[in-house]
Amino acid sequence: MTAKTRLAGVAGWPIAHSLSPLLHTYWLRQYGLTGAYVPLAIRREDFSIAVAGLRHAGFVGLNVTIPHKEAAFALAQDLDEPARMTGSANLLCFPDKSTIVGRNTDVAGLVASLVEEFGRDVVRGKAAIVLGAGGGARAATLALAELGATEICIVARNAVKIDALIVQLKPHVEASLIAYAWINWSQALPDAALLVNATPAGMIGKPPIDLSLDMLPKNAAVCDLVYNPLETDLVRHARARGLPAMNGLRMLMHQAVPAFTAFFGVTPKVTPALHEMLEKVMRS
Ligand code: NAP
């Protein structure tokens, strides 16, 4: 590394599990770029001071993960449309010493991964389900709307959070957004072309998702934003029913593309070799 090395990283708490440093370092090597991308363990209460410090220390930007996406949104003076619509930013760029640009690349990352895995028409003119009402669910709702879903059912435990999501996103989407309390999940399933899990349920260390896929149509697809483990219970059950299913690793790779471009000036490719490398690391 030299004084010219471009520095970036991912801020979260905890951060040890993050695959982003591996992903960005893979691309730095592949494209022969001089740069570094590091994991940054930053507590919730230290986030704004840490961002100020990193910015003044010459970092070109940061990815931001749980629990900082809303704080990142609040810090940015300049926001792209997905960040404004979701109220959260997973990418902060520091174009100069006085400006913080906040972007949300989860929406584009999910769109790209759904298209790659299931095709561009997976929800076009159809109904879809989003489980959860947090930041991931907001990104998923916008992604499904962008792919032409006409009806998006938000199934979550907290009615206040569902209402807040719907009020926030309704002005930005043409699709009808319909609220379902978690206990009524079975009512949302029979018409859905795609079900997206945007809750952490099923992640290593968390209980599996409390819902059965039996009532999903035979040609529906399932997408879990969780990728640790690579095969969640939800993905396994979907495959056992013969439904096409994907985990969140593809989304993780695609949401990183605009971040890498912003940090290091090259638009990287999501390739099968990269996917394989990440899966291998997850299995080891
Ligand atoms: P969040 O803002 O904390 O929201 C989580 C949502 O899930 C809340 O609505 C919460 O409901 C609900 N929930 C939690 N546990 C649940 C359970 N056992 N059953 C039903 N609902 C449950 O989190 P987030 O940022 O949206 O992230 C959600 C998941 O998506 C995480 O696993 C995250 O890692 C993943 N994600 C992946 C990618 C990717 O690139 N693959 C990108 C973004 C997010 P309550 O409010 O009732 O607790």
Side-chain angles (χ1 to χ4, degrees):
M1 280 194 255
T2 69
K4 288 191 178 154
T5 303
R6 293 172 79 83
L7 299 172
V10 55
W13 187 271
I15 201 63
H17 66 284
S18 175
L19 291 177
S20 294
L22 269 174
L23 178 56
H24 285 263
T25 303
Y26 176 95
W27 281 329
L28 281 168
R29 292 206 180 116
Q30 186 183 10
Y31 295 102
L33 301 172
T34 311
Y37 184 102
V38 292
L40 297 158
I42 298 172
R43 287 178 196 273
R44 192 188 283 275
E45 59 273 25
D46 297 332
F47 183 68
S48 58
I49 196 159
V51 169
L54 292 163
R55 192 155 61 95
H56 288 283
F59 271 61
V60 292
L62 291 180
N63 279 120
V64 175
T65 185
I66 292 171
H68 302 311
K69 290 185 186 182
E70 284 76 23
F73 169 83
L75 272 185
Q77 295 101 16
D78 215 341
L79 292 156
D80 72 358
E81 211 187 345
R84 270 200 306 277
M85 290 192 286
T86 55
S88 72
N90 68 336
L91 170 62
L92 293 179
C93 298
F94 312 139
D96 53 57
K97 289 271 183 290
S98 58
T99 316
I100 301 179
V101 177
R103 297 173 59 185
N104 186 309
T105 68
D106 280 340
V107 180
L110 184 55
V111 167
S113 62
L114 288 170
V115 168
E116 202 168 83
E117 187 81 22
F118 301 134
R120 186 155 287 284
D121 292 329
V122 60
V123 290
R124 187 164 309 283
K126 301 171 193 159
I129 297 173
V130 174
L131 304 178
R138 281 170 168 70
T141 303
L142 290 174
L144 297 174
E146 191 175 323
L147 288 172
T150 45
E151 190 176 284
I152 303 170
C153 304
I154 314 296
V155 182
R157 304 188 292 200
N158 184 320
V160 175
K161 286 191 184 173
I162 304 180
D163 286 349
L165 180 153
I166 291 180
V167 166
Q168 187 180 15
L169 299 187
K170 216 181 178 92
H172 306 293
V173 302
E174 281 179 24
S176 312
L177 303 183
I178 302 167
Y180 283 88
W182 192 272
I183 47 165
N184 296 329
W185 57 262
S186 61
Q187 294 170 17
L189 263 57
D191 296 324
L194 173 71
L195 177 140
V196 178
N197 174 35
T199 83
M203 227 168 128
I204 282 179
K206 308 258 182 199
I209 201 144
D210 184 20
L211 159 151
S212 157
L213 298 178
D214 289 350
M215 289 167 78
L216 265 187
K218 285 194 169 57
N219 54 356
V222 171
C223 167
D224 201 336
L225 299 198
V226 174
Y227 54 83
N228 187 11
L230 288 170
E231 192 171 59
T232 58
D233 275 6
L234 188 75
V235 166
R236 191 168 58 253
H237 288 151
R239 289 180 179 150
R241 272 205 62 202
L243 307 177
M246 70 187 273
N247 65 23
L249 203 50
R250 236 178 241 291
M251 175 180 175
L252 180 83
M253 294 187 289
H254 281 288
Q255 62 79 33
V257 169
F260 188 88
T261 311
F263 300 149
F264 303 113
V266 169
T267 302
K269 288 228 168 353
V270 171
T271 58
L274 171 64
H275 200 163
E276 253 169 54
M277 184 276 288
L278 293 176
E279 285 196 339
K280 201 167 155 193
V281 170
M282 296 286 299
R283 291 204 172 94
S284 63

